[in-house]
């Protein structure tokens, strides 16, 4: 069975040596002293290694079961959820007013990676709750906040998001669920929602569903969609769960992975709901939840890759097979370990260099979220808005590929469920799909975010890369980072230029290159992160630290990324510049 | 549930308009008249669509079960196997002397794609039998051939190949299974083999295991391995199955996919075996089976991609979601079909252009096998020997990616088992692993095949590309094919040159680029195939055929491959030329 060890040192490196979190001006960051974050991460890591990771395979094997309307979660999940709640982990970055610990989102993300890596299906119960609570926090009335947030922050009650219906996923304007206004100001919701993660289970005293629905008589399409709070049990005046509401789980989906999470068909039958935010502005409110969820999903891509990688490394060192062509490495054994073979190294380096770059990327993105939310920094807000589809789409596409590579290192054993490597790929697969399939992320990036505020944010990003490179001009050891980063950034700019020159006449010329652009941008972001990590490592090495090997490893891993991964931007550019003609050449009947 | 339709027209196009099979000089090819092959493919296609494809999901869901030593296959498999046998499909390309139809391997491959596409797990029962029969045909005594082949050609008896042991897969020199010589010339085999596909089941009257084992006192390592025939039931003098042999299934593996095929732990307990071929030359005999199996596995990559693609096309035309940005396409419906969206097109074109190129590649490769076996053509033999790892590694790596893309088009429904798209990816995943993991294929290509016979075969391939390009010099419409093919071929030559210049000093400099080289070579092969298909299409169009749209579609699909897929060679070259330093930079303890 796979094991999981929290990558605390790597997280600490990014938090303190790259992002220099505790000396930042962002409100609350001064609390993030290295000793403090280390203690938090160690403690979370212990829970993840000892409690959550061992339940990962259990959840996969047992799955959830629907019995007379009640959803049974896998053995051990309830106890583990109690431990997570008791540890106060669910409210880490939530306001103190509602029982949270008011820590920055940055720390929440760092801890979140550990939970996701140890057990993605389990962690979704609290993850969805966090998202739903954020939406109530942003859009709820005082009364709504007081009613729901304390219980949701502690995860005594959990939350869900209800968007998809059988005939509509991406295109929510086609939604049919109705919300009829009642005399008392509440609504009665009727309809069916599908793919509702954590939709029903017995681990919480109540489940707070956030549900998109249409109020009859409102505008057509997406402009007539409103968001509602629909509790499983209507909350009594005294705040306790009361009468059962008209919402129930009709079925559980049988899925490729994340078996430990209950994916429900939810039936709303004149269920009582309360408007959250403004009538017909439901999408805006839902996007509060969705943007957060997209960062969280990007993190899942990274987290599954990390968990799979850790086990691939163990196997590659342990499994004896063949001999090093440059000379026997294990003369006393019957063969050398797999890790001596260059192609196995290539796979491990692909994984390692992606994971560490992705970790820096997502933590940097989280610091932008804190700057936006805690300081009202509009530039940071614009930048993370631009980056959100990249975090989600790129990290989950590549994260999935990395779990497949980790599985590959196991050879035949990788295909056998007992070894657990298949689960990493099956669980990671969903992250490319939910919270907006990755094609939709690419569309969001190219069709919307690039041009947002007159293209200001992408220009700011290019400027950031340029000025970082300029600052490294005379820094010894930075050249293997700066030169490739400049090239990749130029490729990205050329792609943006192609879109500008061709996209106005023919939107398809841009959209046919959207996924390539998203990947290019992901590569440039990881290239920038590696360059920043390299600089931090060189700075650290200048003071002859005790753990010089740690920084040397960072530099070598970064050089691999720059030499072998980052040059993918050129291929993406070639594809983008080939335009839409070959993509759109066929009539529908020619497929 | 997914459907499957045999791509007869596409197969016919390659057989007759690209390879011009029936006018070839290869013995037996004159029988391959278009009407004849069409009839064969239609008939096979009917069986595949009506019988095998509907059992694909059944096999996935039910899997196999071991009950008191007996393996139960999924519902319907036995009946279907009876139909396959009754149709004479199992001996299509086997010698008439043993009840086969003596058709070229080329036709066997074309038909094989249909079977694999419709139901991979099912088709493995006959596929392994075919491989085992081929090994007996090549290395068996007359008595062995007469005893086993008639029953194996008809699949009354099935076959297996037994290589892997718990501690050794790739490195078979570590093998522990022993074969003790007996006074009567037979052997007693004792040991355990794992991952034995079709190892035990009740669909056949006997199972003929081909087992690698070591005769005590023989050379160490791989040079002391011999191959044995170990029947489940010892065959009586009259050719009927007799006493049960000391071989049994100890357990079934729970796998990620191909659930319908029984993957067995096989225990040999003083089981009677008969030497096949020469003592201590077991690997040579096994490679007869393995090389064929590798082509067959490459075909699985293509076949699963085709099956997944067919369903993705249906879904993309059917599912209404969003509007075409260039103007509404389905004004009477609530939304436009997915297929209007450029990023969905991109995914479908990636799949289509890969599949059709791969099909031409594998059929061309099969014609080389026929030329080698039927005509003793040494050049053809050398070329297919070079290409075998490319067929296996490239087609299964990319084939897998294509099933993932097809699944992606379904959005959330792609993740739900009921829709069947997950099964295509889970089944396709094994093809990257078995019959030599793809990293081993790359090693075989770069470490062995490139330099075989003084590099003669790869030079012949380059010459083939070059002369084909030269022949197209004045052919209108070929330019979008010739120019990219030349560029890609130059990239491949540059990579080969890099290996020559650096690999002698440091073998890792070549091996660190082995997978990149395998993919490059795959791309160049598919590029050549597309150029040949383009030329055939232009020739056909010159005579104003009734189905001009078919040829126009081919040309457009090929142009997509040349513009968007083939340029990947440049990225692979960049990686290769970066050498082994960044790949091998870390010490083992730095991972």
């Amino acid at each position: 069975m796979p094991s999981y060890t929290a990558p605390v040192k790597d997280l600490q490196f990014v938090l303190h040596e790259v992002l220099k979190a505790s000396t930042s001006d962002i409100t609350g960051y001064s609390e993030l002293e290295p000793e403090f974050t280390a203690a938090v991460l160690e403690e979370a890591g212990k829970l993840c290694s000892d409690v959550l990771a061992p339940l990962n395979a259990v959840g996969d094997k047992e799955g959830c079961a629907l019995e007379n309307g009640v959803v049974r979660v896998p053995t051990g999940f309830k106890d583990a959820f109690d431990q997570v709640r008791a540890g106060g982990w669910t409210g880490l970055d939530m306001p103190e007013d509602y029982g949270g610990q008011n820590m920055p989102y940055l720390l929440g993300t760092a801890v979140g990676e550990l939970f996701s890596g140890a057990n993605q299906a389990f962690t979704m119960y609290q993850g969805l709750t966090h998202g739903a609570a954020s939406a109530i926090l942003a859009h709820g009335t005082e009364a709504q906040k007081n009613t729901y947030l304390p219980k949701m922050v502690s995860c005594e009650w959990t939350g869900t998001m209800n968007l998809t219906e059988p005939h509509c996923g991406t295109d929510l304007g086609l939604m049919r669920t109705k919300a009829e206004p009642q005399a008392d100001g509440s609504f009665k919701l009727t309809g069916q929602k599908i793919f509702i993660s954590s939709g029903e289970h017995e681990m919480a005293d109540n489940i707070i569903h956030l549900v998109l629905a249409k109020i009859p008589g409102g505008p057509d399409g997406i402009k007539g969609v409103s968001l509602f709070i629909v509790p499983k049990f209507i909350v009594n005046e005294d705040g306790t769960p009361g009468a059962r509401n008209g919402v129930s789980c009709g079925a559980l989906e049988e899925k490729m992975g994340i078996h430990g999470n209950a994916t429900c068909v939810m039936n709303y039958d004149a269920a009582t709901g309360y408007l959250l935010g403004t009538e017909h502005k439901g999408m805006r409110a839902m996007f509060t939840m969705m943007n957060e969820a997209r960062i969280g999903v990007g993190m899942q891509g990274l987290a599954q890759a990390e968990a799979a990688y850790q086990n691939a490394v163990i196997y590659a060192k342990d499994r004896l097979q063949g001999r090093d062509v440059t000379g026997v490495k294990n003369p006393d054994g019957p063969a050398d370990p797999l890790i001596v073979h260059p192609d196995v190294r290539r796979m491990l380096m692909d994984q390692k260099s992606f994971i560490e770059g992705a970790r820096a990327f997502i933590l940097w993105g989280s610091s932008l979220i804190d700057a936006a939310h805690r300081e009202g920094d509009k530039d940071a807000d614009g930048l993370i808005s631009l980056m959100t589809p990249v975090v989600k789409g790129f990290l989950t596409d590549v994260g999935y590929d990395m779990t497949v590579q980790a599985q590959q290192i196991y050879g035949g054993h990788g295909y056998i469920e007992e070894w657990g490597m298949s689960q990493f790929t099956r669980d990671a697969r969903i992250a490319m799909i939910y919270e907006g399939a990755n094609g939709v992320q690419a569309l969001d990036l190219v069709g919307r975010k690039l041009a947002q505020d007159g293209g200001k944010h992408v220009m700011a990003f290019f400027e950031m890369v340029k000025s970082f490179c300029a600052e490294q001009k005379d820094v010894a050891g930075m050249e293997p980072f700066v030169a490739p980063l400049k090239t990749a950034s130029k490729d990205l700019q050329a792609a943006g230029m192609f879109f500008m020159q061709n996209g106005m006449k023919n939107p398809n010329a841009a959209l046919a290159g959207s996924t390539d652009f998203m990947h290019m941008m992901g590569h440039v972001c990881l290239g920038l992160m590696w360059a920043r990590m390299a600089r931090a490592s060189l700075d650290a090495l200048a003071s002859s630290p005790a753990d010089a090997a740690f920084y040397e490893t960072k530099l070598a891993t970064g050089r691999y990324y720059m030499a072998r991964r980052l040059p993918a931007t050129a291929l993406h550019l070639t594809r983008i510049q080939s335009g839409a003609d070959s993509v759109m050449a066929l009539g529908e009947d020619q497929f």
Side-chain angles (χ1 to χ4, degrees), chain A residues 224-244:
Chain A
V225 167
S226 306
L227 186 60
F228 299 89
I229 299 173
V230 183
K232 174 179 170 183
F233 296 102
I234 308 269
V235 181
N236 294 322
E237 288 286 322
D238 66 357
T240 58
R244 180 73 192 242

Side-chain angles (χ1 to χ4, degrees), chain A residues 178-182 186-190 214-216 228:
Chain A
K178 283 207 176 80
E180 299 274 358
Q182 305 298 303
S186 72
F187 292 78
K188 292 280 187 205
L189 275 79
T190 300
K214 286 185 168 176
I215 301 170
F228 299 89

